[in-house]
Amino acid sequence: MSFAVELKDVRKSFGKTEIIRGASLQVNAGERVAIIGPNGAGKSTLFNLISGRFAPTSGEILLNGERIDGLKPYEVNRRGLARSFQVSNLFHRLTVFENVRCAVLWSMGYKYAFWKFLADLDDANDRADEVLEMLKLDRKRDTQVMNLTYAEQRALEIGLTIAGGSNVILLDEPTAGMSKSETKRFIQLIREVTEGKTLLTVEHDMGVVFGLADKIAVLVYGEVIAYDEPEAVRANQRVQEAYLGSVLAEQQAAAATAGA
Ligand SMILES: Nc1ncnc2c1ncn2[C@@H]1O[C@H](COP(=O)(O)OP(=O)(O)OP(=O)(O)O)[C@@H](O)[C@H]1O
């Protein structure tokens, strides 16, 4: 059986600088994987490669066993991979419902064929309402996005990402900027709305990583130096030395200061 996502010796250079240096990864369908690593390790670049924003310099990227490297982002999306929208990509003057419906129509491949649009509109409306219910944003259905709280906007981002029914979801720091209690609720929400799907997330917050991930991939200088279940990664000496030791100490110190 093929993997939901597979990277085979992927490399990416910008000019003469190699940023991704032979990364390999195998993600089973339905797994939640967090990609962690120091600043500049190449996590965003890796997401950009998987989602089609960049083509790798060499190596292969497969989605459900089929090569997707070199495809354009919308082509990768059509094959069932959705990457998180950013708050800045929301239509702030449109309502919550209208934003989700746009994402649904986009995923249906709606182009400017009016007859097709009308035929699809009922389905799109139903799906948009279904997504809002999952996100617990149905109360805010007719609110303009600019009037949502930050946490609600981030929830909507997730909604747009899952709206099209993709089975592989990429989320970029989904809880960034949230308070501790919002983060906790949000992890639960992400768990619920991605149930049964394959999830890849880039994350700096170790609380989120250890609360959400089935597996953790540690990226250091463009290489996956460890890929395993959370406890095994936490105990990995190389990971401790290269990254996790200092990060956990920092985050524990910050938590102690906040609690003091
Ligand atoms: N389009 C680009 N052109 C040139 N260099 C780039 C480009 N994109 C990223 N880089 C470089 O690649 C390196 C890795 O960047 P990337 O953003 O992928 O790291 P990251 O692990 O996501 O970092 P952070 O945790 O700080 O977000 C950096 O040195 C960055 O300057």
PDB file of all heavy atoms in Angstrom, residues 12-15 17-20 35-48 53-54 172-173 202-204 219 222 243, ligand 1:
ATOM      1  N   LYS A  12      16.362  20.916  -2.305  1.00  0.00           N
ATOM      2  CA  LYS A  12      15.968  22.199  -2.876  1.00  0.00           C
ATOM      3  C   LYS A  12      17.059  23.224  -2.606  1.00  0.00           C
ATOM      4  O   LYS A  12      17.479  23.420  -1.464  1.00  0.00           O
ATOM      5  CB  LYS A  12      14.654  22.679  -2.237  1.00  0.00           C
ATOM      6  CG  LYS A  12      14.204  24.044  -2.708  1.00  0.00           C
ATOM      7  CD  LYS A  12      13.791  24.040  -4.163  1.00  0.00           C
ATOM      8  CE  LYS A  12      13.378  25.397  -4.675  1.00  0.00           C
ATOM      9  NZ  LYS A  12      13.137  25.392  -6.125  1.00  0.00           N
ATOM     10  N   SER A  13      17.511  23.838  -3.679  1.00  0.00           N
ATOM     11  CA  SER A  13      18.509  24.904  -3.545  1.00  0.00           C
ATOM     12  C   SER A  13      17.897  26.218  -3.986  1.00  0.00           C
ATOM     13  O   SER A  13      17.071  26.258  -4.905  1.00  0.00           O
ATOM     14  CB  SER A  13      19.718  24.616  -4.443  1.00  0.00           C
ATOM     15  OG  SER A  13      20.309  23.401  -4.076  1.00  0.00           O
ATOM     16  N   PHE A  14      18.301  27.275  -3.316  1.00  0.00           N
ATOM     17  CA  PHE A  14      18.008  28.626  -3.790  1.00  0.00           C
ATOM     18  C   PHE A  14      19.353  29.194  -4.189  1.00  0.00           C
ATOM     19  O   PHE A  14      20.225  29.376  -3.332  1.00  0.00           O
ATOM     20  CB  PHE A  14      17.360  29.478  -2.698  1.00  0.00           C
ATOM     21  CG  PHE A  14      15.999  28.991  -2.284  1.00  0.00           C
ATOM     22  CD1 PHE A  14      15.791  28.438  -1.039  1.00  0.00           C
ATOM     23  CD2 PHE A  14      14.913  29.092  -3.157  1.00  0.00           C
ATOM     24  CE1 PHE A  14      14.527  27.992  -0.653  1.00  0.00           C
ATOM     25  CE2 PHE A  14      13.649  28.649  -2.789  1.00  0.00           C
ATOM     26  CZ  PHE A  14      13.461  28.087  -1.537  1.00  0.00           C
ATOM     27  N   GLY A  15      19.542  29.452  -5.475  1.00  0.00           N
ATOM     28  CA  GLY A  15      20.866  29.850  -5.942  1.00  0.00           C
ATOM     29  C   GLY A  15      21.836  28.727  -5.646  1.00  0.00           C
ATOM     30  O   GLY A  15      21.561  27.566  -5.937  1.00  0.00           O
ATOM     31  N   THR A  17      22.724  27.904  -2.595  1.00  0.00           N
ATOM     32  CA  THR A  17      22.550  27.386  -1.232  1.00  0.00           C
ATOM     33  C   THR A  17      21.531  26.262  -1.201  1.00  0.00           C
ATOM     34  O   THR A  17      20.373  26.455  -1.584  1.00  0.00           O
ATOM     35  CB  THR A  17      22.065  28.521  -0.298  1.00  0.00           C
ATOM     36  OG1 THR A  17      22.856  29.670  -0.554  1.00  0.00           O
ATOM     37  CG2 THR A  17      22.169  28.117   1.155  1.00  0.00           C
ATOM     38  N   GLU A  18      21.971  25.121  -0.726  1.00  0.00           N
ATOM     39  CA  GLU A  18      21.033  24.001  -0.606  1.00  0.00           C
ATOM     40  C   GLU A  18      20.322  24.117   0.746  1.00  0.00           C
ATOM     41  O   GLU A  18      20.974  24.103   1.792  1.00  0.00           O
ATOM     42  CB  GLU A  18      21.779  22.674  -0.714  1.00  0.00           C
ATOM     43  CG  GLU A  18      20.806  21.524  -0.851  1.00  0.00           C
ATOM     44  CD  GLU A  18      21.491  20.205  -1.214  1.00  0.00           C
ATOM     45  OE1 GLU A  18      22.466  19.836  -0.543  1.00  0.00           O
ATOM     46  OE2 GLU A  18      21.017  19.553  -2.156  1.00  0.00           O
ATOM     47  N   ILE A  19      19.002  24.239   0.685  1.00  0.00           N
ATOM     48  CA  ILE A  19      18.212  24.436   1.905  1.00  0.00           C
ATOM     49  C   ILE A  19      17.614  23.111   2.373  1.00  0.00           C
ATOM     50  O   ILE A  19      17.633  22.799   3.558  1.00  0.00           O
ATOM     51  CB  ILE A  19      17.081  25.471   1.647  1.00  0.00           C
ATOM     52  CG1 ILE A  19      17.665  26.829   1.242  1.00  0.00           C
ATOM     53  CG2 ILE A  19      16.176  25.606   2.864  1.00  0.00           C
ATOM     54  CD1 ILE A  19      18.487  27.522   2.301  1.00  0.00           C
ATOM     55  N   ILE A  20      17.091  22.327   1.450  1.00  0.00           N
ATOM     56  CA  ILE A  20      16.603  20.990   1.796  1.00  0.00           C
ATOM     57  C   ILE A  20      17.620  20.005   1.238  1.00  0.00           C
ATOM     58  O   ILE A  20      17.895  19.979   0.032  1.00  0.00           O
ATOM     59  CB  ILE A  20      15.182  20.749   1.209  1.00  0.00           C
ATOM     60  CG1 ILE A  20      14.183  21.794   1.734  1.00  0.00           C
ATOM     61  CG2 ILE A  20      14.701  19.328   1.536  1.00  0.00           C
ATOM     62  CD1 ILE A  20      13.942  21.769   3.240  1.00  0.00           C
ATOM     63  N   ILE A  35       6.022  18.674  12.006  1.00  0.00           N
ATOM     64  CA  ILE A  35       7.402  18.918  11.574  1.00  0.00           C
ATOM     65  C   ILE A  35       7.957  20.017  12.462  1.00  0.00           C
ATOM     66  O   ILE A  35       7.392  21.111  12.535  1.00  0.00           O
ATOM     67  CB  ILE A  35       7.449  19.346  10.092  1.00  0.00           C
ATOM     68  CG1 ILE A  35       6.827  18.249   9.225  1.00  0.00           C
ATOM     69  CG2 ILE A  35       8.886  19.643   9.654  1.00  0.00           C
ATOM     70  CD1 ILE A  35       6.644  18.636   7.771  1.00  0.00           C
ATOM     71  N   ILE A  36       9.027  19.683  13.179  1.00  0.00           N
ATOM     72  CA  ILE A  36       9.629  20.675  14.077  1.00  0.00           C
ATOM     73  C   ILE A  36      11.097  20.866  13.696  1.00  0.00           C
ATOM     74  O   ILE A  36      11.672  20.060  12.951  1.00  0.00           O
ATOM     75  CB  ILE A  36       9.510  20.260  15.561  1.00  0.00           C
ATOM     76  CG1 ILE A  36      10.334  18.994  15.861  1.00  0.00           C
ATOM     77  CG2 ILE A  36       8.061  20.028  15.946  1.00  0.00           C
ATOM     78  CD1 ILE A  36      10.421  18.658  17.355  1.00  0.00           C
ATOM     79  N   GLY A  37      11.688  21.905  14.231  1.00  0.00           N
ATOM     80  CA  GLY A  37      13.098  22.154  13.961  1.00  0.00           C
ATOM     81  C   GLY A  37      13.425  23.608  14.202  1.00  0.00           C
ATOM     82  O   GLY A  37      12.519  24.440  14.303  1.00  0.00           O
ATOM     83  N   PRO A  38      14.717  23.917  14.304  1.00  0.00           N
ATOM     84  CA  PRO A  38      15.112  25.303  14.592  1.00  0.00           C
ATOM     85  C   PRO A  38      14.720  26.271  13.477  1.00  0.00           C
ATOM     86  O   PRO A  38      14.410  25.837  12.355  1.00  0.00           O
ATOM     87  CB  PRO A  38      16.637  25.218  14.706  1.00  0.00           C
ATOM     88  CG  PRO A  38      17.031  23.844  14.369  1.00  0.00           C
ATOM     89  CD  PRO A  38      15.829  23.005  14.153  1.00  0.00           C
ATOM     90  N   ASN A  39      14.740  27.559  13.801  1.00  0.00           N
ATOM     91  CA  ASN A  39      14.465  28.570  12.778  1.00  0.00           C
ATOM     92  C   ASN A  39      15.413  28.391  11.611  1.00  0.00           C
ATOM     93  O   ASN A  39      16.607  28.158  11.805  1.00  0.00           O
ATOM     94  CB  ASN A  39      14.671  29.979  13.346  1.00  0.00           C
ATOM     95  CG  ASN A  39      13.605  30.320  14.369  1.00  0.00           C
ATOM     96  OD1 ASN A  39      12.545  29.714  14.365  1.00  0.00           O
ATOM     97  ND2 ASN A  39      13.904  31.255  15.242  1.00  0.00           N
ATOM     98  N   GLY A  40      14.858  28.490  10.410  1.00  0.00           N
ATOM     99  CA  GLY A  40      15.696  28.401   9.216  1.00  0.00           C
ATOM    100  C   GLY A  40      16.046  26.982   8.808  1.00  0.00           C
ATOM    101  O   GLY A  40      16.808  26.770   7.858  1.00  0.00           O
ATOM    102  N   ALA A  41      15.486  25.975   9.495  1.00  0.00           N
ATOM    103  CA  ALA A  41      15.806  24.577   9.172  1.00  0.00           C
ATOM    104  C   ALA A  41      15.241  24.154   7.819  1.00  0.00           C
ATOM    105  O   ALA A  41      15.702  23.181   7.220  1.00  0.00           O
ATOM    106  CB  ALA A  41      15.264  23.652  10.260  1.00  0.00           C
ATOM    107  N   GLY A  42      14.202  24.886   7.368  1.00  0.00           N
ATOM    108  CA  GLY A  42      13.613  24.550   6.070  1.00  0.00           C
ATOM    109  C   GLY A  42      12.190  24.007   6.157  1.00  0.00           C
ATOM    110  O   GLY A  42      11.670  23.453   5.188  1.00  0.00           O
ATOM    111  N   LYS A  43      11.532  24.200   7.303  1.00  0.00           N
ATOM    112  CA  LYS A  43      10.179  23.650   7.487  1.00  0.00           C
ATOM    113  C   LYS A  43       9.184  24.262   6.499  1.00  0.00           C
ATOM    114  O   LYS A  43       8.431  23.536   5.838  1.00  0.00           O
ATOM    115  CB  LYS A  43       9.699  23.885   8.933  1.00  0.00           C
ATOM    116  CG  LYS A  43      10.649  23.306   9.979  1.00  0.00           C
ATOM    117  CD  LYS A  43      10.173  23.555  11.374  1.00  0.00           C
ATOM    118  CE  LYS A  43      10.173  25.011  11.812  1.00  0.00           C
ATOM    119  NZ  LYS A  43      11.517  25.655  11.857  1.00  0.00           N
ATOM    120  N   SER A  44       9.197  25.589   6.387  1.00  0.00           N
ATOM    121  CA  SER A  44       8.272  26.228   5.442  1.00  0.00           C
ATOM    122  C   SER A  44       8.616  25.842   4.012  1.00  0.00           C
ATOM    123  O   SER A  44       7.727  25.626   3.180  1.00  0.00           O
ATOM    124  CB  SER A  44       8.334  27.748   5.561  1.00  0.00           C
ATOM    125  OG  SER A  44       7.971  28.120   6.840  1.00  0.00           O
ATOM    126  N   THR A  45       9.899  25.750   3.745  1.00  0.00           N
ATOM    127  CA  THR A  45      10.320  25.356   2.389  1.00  0.00           C
ATOM    128  C   THR A  45       9.793  23.962   2.069  1.00  0.00           C
ATOM    129  O   THR A  45       9.293  23.708   0.960  1.00  0.00           O
ATOM    130  CB  THR A  45      11.861  25.392   2.278  1.00  0.00           C
ATOM    131  OG1 THR A  45      12.302  26.709   2.625  1.00  0.00           O
ATOM    132  CG2 THR A  45      12.334  25.041   0.885  1.00  0.00           C
ATOM    133  N   LEU A  46       9.862  23.075   3.046  1.00  0.00           N
ATOM    134  CA  LEU A  46       9.363  21.716   2.838  1.00  0.00           C
ATOM    135  C   LEU A  46       7.860  21.736   2.538  1.00  0.00           C
ATOM    136  O   LEU A  46       7.390  21.056   1.618  1.00  0.00           O
ATOM    137  CB  LEU A  46       9.636  20.883   4.104  1.00  0.00           C
ATOM    138  CG  LEU A  46       9.781  19.385   3.918  1.00  0.00           C
ATOM    139  CD1 LEU A  46      10.935  19.051   2.990  1.00  0.00           C
ATOM    140  CD2 LEU A  46      10.002  18.704   5.262  1.00  0.00           C
ATOM    141  N   PHE A  47       7.118  22.549   3.290  1.00  0.00           N
ATOM    142  CA  PHE A  47       5.676  22.694   3.026  1.00  0.00           C
ATOM    143  C   PHE A  47       5.451  23.250   1.617  1.00  0.00           C
ATOM    144  O   PHE A  47       4.543  22.817   0.911  1.00  0.00           O
ATOM    145  CB  PHE A  47       5.063  23.646   4.053  1.00  0.00           C
ATOM    146  CG  PHE A  47       4.268  22.948   5.121  1.00  0.00           C
ATOM    147  CD1 PHE A  47       4.643  21.695   5.577  1.00  0.00           C
ATOM    148  CD2 PHE A  47       3.144  23.531   5.679  1.00  0.00           C
ATOM    149  CE1 PHE A  47       3.910  21.038   6.563  1.00  0.00           C
ATOM    150  CE2 PHE A  47       2.403  22.893   6.657  1.00  0.00           C
ATOM    151  CZ  PHE A  47       2.784  21.653   7.099  1.00  0.00           C
ATOM    152  N   ASN A  48       6.271  24.219   1.244  1.00  0.00           N
ATOM    153  CA  ASN A  48       6.118  24.810  -0.088  1.00  0.00           C
ATOM    154  C   ASN A  48       6.408  23.788  -1.182  1.00  0.00           C
ATOM    155  O   ASN A  48       5.811  23.824  -2.262  1.00  0.00           O
ATOM    156  CB  ASN A  48       7.045  26.021  -0.240  1.00  0.00           C
ATOM    157  CG  ASN A  48       6.515  27.231   0.499  1.00  0.00           C
ATOM    158  OD1 ASN A  48       5.308  27.401   0.644  1.00  0.00           O
ATOM    159  ND2 ASN A  48       7.411  28.083   0.985  1.00  0.00           N
ATOM    160  N   ARG A  53       4.235  24.845  -4.318  1.00  0.00           N
ATOM    161  CA  ARG A  53       4.658  26.247  -4.531  1.00  0.00           C
ATOM    162  C   ARG A  53       6.066  26.293  -5.124  1.00  0.00           C
ATOM    163  O   ARG A  53       6.367  27.141  -5.951  1.00  0.00           O
ATOM    164  CB  ARG A  53       4.582  26.987  -3.202  1.00  0.00           C
ATOM    165  CG  ARG A  53       4.729  28.438  -3.367  1.00  0.00           C
ATOM    166  CD  ARG A  53       4.066  29.186  -2.238  1.00  0.00           C
ATOM    167  NE  ARG A  53       4.558  30.539  -2.245  1.00  0.00           N
ATOM    168  CZ  ARG A  53       4.722  31.264  -1.170  1.00  0.00           C
ATOM    169  NH1 ARG A  53       4.409  30.783   0.008  1.00  0.00           N
ATOM    170  NH2 ARG A  53       5.169  32.492  -1.272  1.00  0.00           N
ATOM    171  N   PHE A  54       6.920  25.379  -4.657  1.00  0.00           N
ATOM    172  CA  PHE A  54       8.260  25.235  -5.239  1.00  0.00           C
ATOM    173  C   PHE A  54       8.386  23.842  -5.830  1.00  0.00           C
ATOM    174  O   PHE A  54       7.811  22.892  -5.302  1.00  0.00           O
ATOM    175  CB  PHE A  54       9.355  25.326  -4.169  1.00  0.00           C
ATOM    176  CG  PHE A  54       9.439  26.626  -3.421  1.00  0.00           C
ATOM    177  CD1 PHE A  54       9.916  26.629  -2.112  1.00  0.00           C
ATOM    178  CD2 PHE A  54       9.075  27.827  -4.000  1.00  0.00           C
ATOM    179  CE1 PHE A  54      10.013  27.817  -1.397  1.00  0.00           C
ATOM    180  CE2 PHE A  54       9.173  29.022  -3.293  1.00  0.00           C
ATOM    181  CZ  PHE A  54       9.639  29.011  -1.988  1.00  0.00           C
ATOM    182  N   ASP A 172       0.015  25.307   8.798  1.00  0.00           N
ATOM    183  CA  ASP A 172       1.233  26.032   9.131  1.00  0.00           C
ATOM    184  C   ASP A 172       1.008  26.774  10.451  1.00  0.00           C
ATOM    185  O   ASP A 172       0.230  27.714  10.492  1.00  0.00           O
ATOM    186  CB  ASP A 172       1.497  27.045   8.008  1.00  0.00           C
ATOM    187  CG  ASP A 172       2.954  27.320   7.849  1.00  0.00           C
ATOM    188  OD1 ASP A 172       3.699  27.089   8.813  1.00  0.00           O
ATOM    189  OD2 ASP A 172       3.339  27.779   6.756  1.00  0.00           O
ATOM    190  N   GLU A 173       1.655  26.342  11.515  1.00  0.00           N
ATOM    191  CA  GLU A 173       1.525  26.964  12.839  1.00  0.00           C
ATOM    192  C   GLU A 173       0.086  27.357  13.170  1.00  0.00           C
ATOM    193  O   GLU A 173      -0.213  28.543  13.348  1.00  0.00           O
ATOM    194  CB  GLU A 173       2.427  28.192  12.920  1.00  0.00           C
ATOM    195  CG  GLU A 173       3.883  27.818  12.799  1.00  0.00           C
ATOM    196  CD  GLU A 173       4.775  28.908  13.332  1.00  0.00           C
ATOM    197  OE1 GLU A 173       4.553  29.309  14.485  1.00  0.00           O
ATOM    198  OE2 GLU A 173       5.667  29.355  12.605  1.00  0.00           O
ATOM    199  N   VAL A 202       3.390  22.273  10.660  1.00  0.00           N
ATOM    200  CA  VAL A 202       4.655  22.877  11.107  1.00  0.00           C
ATOM    201  C   VAL A 202       4.341  23.599  12.391  1.00  0.00           C
ATOM    202  O   VAL A 202       3.363  24.342  12.462  1.00  0.00           O
ATOM    203  CB  VAL A 202       5.191  23.885  10.059  1.00  0.00           C
ATOM    204  CG1 VAL A 202       6.275  24.758  10.677  1.00  0.00           C
ATOM    205  CG2 VAL A 202       5.720  23.168   8.850  1.00  0.00           C
ATOM    206  N   GLU A 203       5.115  23.370  13.425  1.00  0.00           N
ATOM    207  CA  GLU A 203       4.735  23.918  14.718  1.00  0.00           C
ATOM    208  C   GLU A 203       5.959  24.196  15.577  1.00  0.00           C
ATOM    209  O   GLU A 203       6.908  23.416  15.590  1.00  0.00           O
ATOM    210  CB  GLU A 203       3.811  22.881  15.383  1.00  0.00           C
ATOM    211  CG  GLU A 203       3.050  23.338  16.573  1.00  0.00           C
ATOM    212  CD  GLU A 203       2.353  24.674  16.445  1.00  0.00           C
ATOM    213  OE1 GLU A 203       1.300  24.752  15.801  1.00  0.00           O
ATOM    214  OE2 GLU A 203       2.865  25.663  17.020  1.00  0.00           O
ATOM    215  N   HIS A 204       5.916  25.322  16.296  1.00  0.00           N
ATOM    216  CA  HIS A 204       6.997  25.670  17.220  1.00  0.00           C
ATOM    217  C   HIS A 204       6.628  25.342  18.664  1.00  0.00           C
ATOM    218  O   HIS A 204       7.507  25.140  19.491  1.00  0.00           O
ATOM    219  CB  HIS A 204       7.300  27.179  17.138  1.00  0.00           C
ATOM    220  CG  HIS A 204       8.071  27.553  15.910  1.00  0.00           C
ATOM    221  ND1 HIS A 204       9.426  27.364  15.807  1.00  0.00           N
ATOM    222  CD2 HIS A 204       7.690  28.084  14.729  1.00  0.00           C
ATOM    223  CE1 HIS A 204       9.844  27.776  14.618  1.00  0.00           C
ATOM    224  NE2 HIS A 204       8.804  28.210  13.948  1.00  0.00           N
ATOM    225  N   LEU A 219      13.430  18.370  11.641  1.00  0.00           N
ATOM    226  CA  LEU A 219      14.204  18.858  10.499  1.00  0.00           C
ATOM    227  C   LEU A 219      15.313  19.776  11.016  1.00  0.00           C
ATOM    228  O   LEU A 219      15.042  20.754  11.725  1.00  0.00           O
ATOM    229  CB  LEU A 219      13.270  19.632   9.567  1.00  0.00           C
ATOM    230  CG  LEU A 219      13.777  19.965   8.180  1.00  0.00           C
ATOM    231  CD1 LEU A 219      13.870  18.692   7.330  1.00  0.00           C
ATOM    232  CD2 LEU A 219      12.828  20.954   7.475  1.00  0.00           C
ATOM    233  N   GLY A 222      17.831  21.208   6.899  1.00  0.00           N
ATOM    234  CA  GLY A 222      17.305  20.604   5.675  1.00  0.00           C
ATOM    235  C   GLY A 222      17.324  19.094   5.624  1.00  0.00           C
ATOM    236  O   GLY A 222      17.087  18.500   4.576  1.00  0.00           O
ATOM    237  N   TYR A 243      18.219  20.219  19.010  1.00  0.00           N
ATOM    238  CA  TYR A 243      17.068  21.109  19.038  1.00  0.00           C
ATOM    239  C   TYR A 243      16.252  21.059  20.304  1.00  0.00           C
ATOM    240  O   TYR A 243      16.110  22.055  21.009  1.00  0.00           O
ATOM    241  CB  TYR A 243      16.172  20.770  17.836  1.00  0.00           C
ATOM    242  CG  TYR A 243      14.913  21.590  17.758  1.00  0.00           C
ATOM    243  CD1 TYR A 243      14.967  22.978  17.694  1.00  0.00           C
ATOM    244  CD2 TYR A 243      13.659  20.981  17.770  1.00  0.00           C
ATOM    245  CE1 TYR A 243      13.807  23.737  17.637  1.00  0.00           C
ATOM    246  CE2 TYR A 243      12.500  21.734  17.712  1.00  0.00           C
ATOM    247  CZ  TYR A 243      12.581  23.107  17.637  1.00  0.00           C
ATOM    248  OH  TYR A 243      11.443  23.847  17.586  1.00  0.00           O
TER     249      TYR A 243
HETATM  250  N1  LIG B   1      12.358  31.793  -1.868  1.00  0.00           N
HETATM  251  C1  LIG B   1      13.514  31.761  -1.222  1.00  0.00           C
HETATM  252  N2  LIG B   1      14.639  32.242  -1.780  1.00  0.00           N
HETATM  253  C2  LIG B   1      15.816  32.185  -1.133  1.00  0.00           C
HETATM  254  N3  LIG B   1      15.980  31.669   0.091  1.00  0.00           N
HETATM  255  C3  LIG B   1      14.911  31.171   0.707  1.00  0.00           C
HETATM  256  C4  LIG B   1      13.618  31.186   0.091  1.00  0.00           C
HETATM  257  N4  LIG B   1      12.749  30.599   0.949  1.00  0.00           N
HETATM  258  C5  LIG B   1      13.446  30.266   2.037  1.00  0.00           C
HETATM  259  N5  LIG B   1      14.743  30.597   1.893  1.00  0.00           N
HETATM  260  C6  LIG B   1      15.808  30.348   2.879  1.00  0.00           C
HETATM  261  O1  LIG B   1      15.728  28.984   3.259  1.00  0.00           O
HETATM  262  C7  LIG B   1      16.064  28.833   4.638  1.00  0.00           C
HETATM  263  C8  LIG B   1      14.992  28.034   5.315  1.00  0.00           C
HETATM  264  O2  LIG B   1      13.823  28.837   5.414  1.00  0.00           O
HETATM  265  P1  LIG B   1      12.438  28.290   5.930  1.00  0.00           P
HETATM  266  O3  LIG B   1      11.521  29.456   6.014  1.00  0.00           O
HETATM  267  O4  LIG B   1      12.024  27.131   5.114  1.00  0.00           O
HETATM  268  O5  LIG B   1      12.812  27.775   7.392  1.00  0.00           O
HETATM  269  P2  LIG B   1      11.854  27.431   8.598  1.00  0.00           P
HETATM  270  O6  LIG B   1      12.377  26.178   9.206  1.00  0.00           O
HETATM  271  O7  LIG B   1      10.443  27.422   8.162  1.00  0.00           O
HETATM  272  O8  LIG B   1      12.126  28.646   9.569  1.00  0.00           O
HETATM  273  P3  LIG B   1      11.174  29.335  10.677  1.00  0.00           P
HETATM  274  O9  LIG B   1      11.004  28.327  11.774  1.00  0.00           O
HETATM  275  O10 LIG B   1      11.995  30.508  11.117  1.00  0.00           O
HETATM  276  O11 LIG B   1       9.881  29.716  10.006  1.00  0.00           O
HETATM  277  C9  LIG B   1      16.275  30.228   5.189  1.00  0.00           C
HETATM  278  O12 LIG B   1      17.651  30.473   5.250  1.00  0.00           O
HETATM  279  C10 LIG B   1      15.600  31.118   4.177  1.00  0.00           C
HETATM  280  O13 LIG B   1      16.238  32.377   4.111  1.00  0.00           O
END
